[in-house]
Amino acid sequence: MKTLRLAACLALVLPMFAKAQIPISDVDLTRFYLRIGASFVYPDDNNTSLKYYVLQDWELYRTHWEVEDDITWNVSGVWRPLPYLGVELLYIGDSDHSLTLQNFRATPGQDNIYFGRYSASSANLFVNWYMNDLICLGQPYLGIGVNYSDYYDDELNPDFQRYLVNSGMATGPGRFGMGHSWGGSAQLGIDWRLGRGIAQSWLINAAVIYTDSNPDAEVTYPTAPGYERLYSEFETNPWTLNLGITYEF
């Protein structure tokens, strides 16, 4: 999978080098874009189950996460010194996601349990390749970059808290934590200019972003001897759809 991701990144980078012979007259160090809009965040549901650090708990065996989608906001700045090249710094604001453990068979007649929730935000640094000339109304682009995702406000649902105590695993309330992650990201987007003349500085933006985000999810709970932990390699890997407006300076 990582090899495929690397190949995809290279496929995006190579066209930039094909445009390397650009006249000096095309260089404009003062061309900036400001974008603001809404983000529709869709985390990946195909994640590993909770585990003990040593042994798999039978009631958690083959469980998997179901993560709720959310809508948040985004803002970004783009520096486009060349017609075919831009650098973008994108921030996606707080998104809130509830978690359910599917295929959970500890409760008769029930195959899932409400697990908890978390909030996330992310910062992305992209290098974008623009496919059309500046005079075109439509400005499609491809970008690759690096992502930093922060996870916070994570908490366990009372349903899962009761399961920990009633099953004899815990002697009291547990804590849920996710931390942060670094990973790659890629995007496909378009800026569409609203017209010529006065309106040419305003554009409508749409972009689809894939983020490689793999924080470690961990549940810590008290036991008679001390503390135990459940953990999961929580591959959220969200797809994000951005819709908004762009202003060109």
Side-chain angles (χ1 to χ4, degrees):
M1 181 60 71
K2 292 187 180 295
T3 302
L4 292 177
R5 290 174 183 165
L6 178 59
C9 290
L10 291 176
L12 295 177
V13 171
L14 289 178
M16 299 179 189
F17 293 100
K19 298 290 184 178
Q21 301 300 321
I22 298 176
I24 296 298
S25 59
D26 288 343
V27 177
D28 185 352
L29 301 181
T30 64
R31 187 185 298 117
F32 290 92
Y33 298 160
L34 177 64
R35 295 190 181 125
I36 188 169
S39 293
F40 303 81
V41 184
Y42 304 94
D44 184 8
D45 286 333
N46 299 318
N47 299 294
T48 56
S49 60
L50 280 168
K51 305 177 180 70
Y52 279 121
Y53 269 109
V54 179
L55 298 174
Q56 173 76 62
D57 181 73
W58 179 253
E59 292 176 342
L60 299 174
Y61 181 66
R62 296 182 65 182
T63 59
H64 60 272
W65 302 101
E66 181 178 286
V67 189
E68 185 181 52
D69 306 328
D70 194 29
I71 301 174
T72 184
W73 57 274
N74 70 79
V75 62
S76 70
V78 183
W79 177 46
R80 191 174 171 183
L82 299 173
Y84 298 97
L85 185 67
V87 179
E88 179 179 3
L89 181 61
L90 166 68
Y91 180 79
I92 299 175
D94 302 347
S95 58
D96 297 319
H97 305 274
S98 63
L99 294 169
T100 303
L101 273 184
Q102 297 288 335
N103 201 36
F104 181 81
R105 304 303 175 88
T107 305
Q110 182 178 343
D111 64 355
N112 61 70
I113 186 172
Y114 292 110
F115 176 83
R117 61 176 299 276
Y118 70 89
S119 298
S121 62
S122 66
N124 298 267
L125 181 62
F126 289 109
V127 176
N128 295 331
W129 173 62
Y130 293 85
M131 305 171 208
N132 290 345
D133 293 330
L134 288 167
I135 61 173
C136 297
L137 291 179
Q139 296 288 316
Y141 58 90
L142 292 169
I144 60 169
V146 62
N147 166 271
Y148 171 79
S149 295
D150 190 23
Y151 297 86
Y152 43 90
D153 291 341
D154 30 28
E155 61 183 37
L156 290 177
N157 189 279
D159 284 358
F160 196 79
Q161 293 277 22
R162 283 191 292 269
Y163 161 72
L164 289 175
V165 175
N166 294 340
S167 66
M169 295 172 63
T171 58
R175 298 189 305 273
F176 176 51
M178 292 181 66
H180 64 272
S181 75
W182 288 90
S185 54
Q187 69 171 339
L188 172 63
I190 184 170
D191 281 312
W192 189 270
R193 206 174 296 277
L194 295 181
R196 306 296 185 186
I198 297 177
Q200 71 177 0
S201 294
W202 292 96
L203 305 93
I204 299 297
N205 175 258
V208 177
I209 302 169
Y210 175 78
T211 301
D212 183 16
S213 183
N214 303 288
D216 293 326
E218 187 175 87
V219 178
T220 305
Y221 54 90
T223 62
Y227 283 87
E228 282 285 357
R229 290 179 175 85
L230 300 171
Y231 78 100
S232 176
E233 296 174 357
F234 196 79
E235 299 181 6
T236 60
N237 295 341
W239 287 91
T240 303
L241 172 62
N242 282 355
L243 298 174
I245 58 172
T246 301
Y247 182 76
E248 179 181 356
F249 291 91

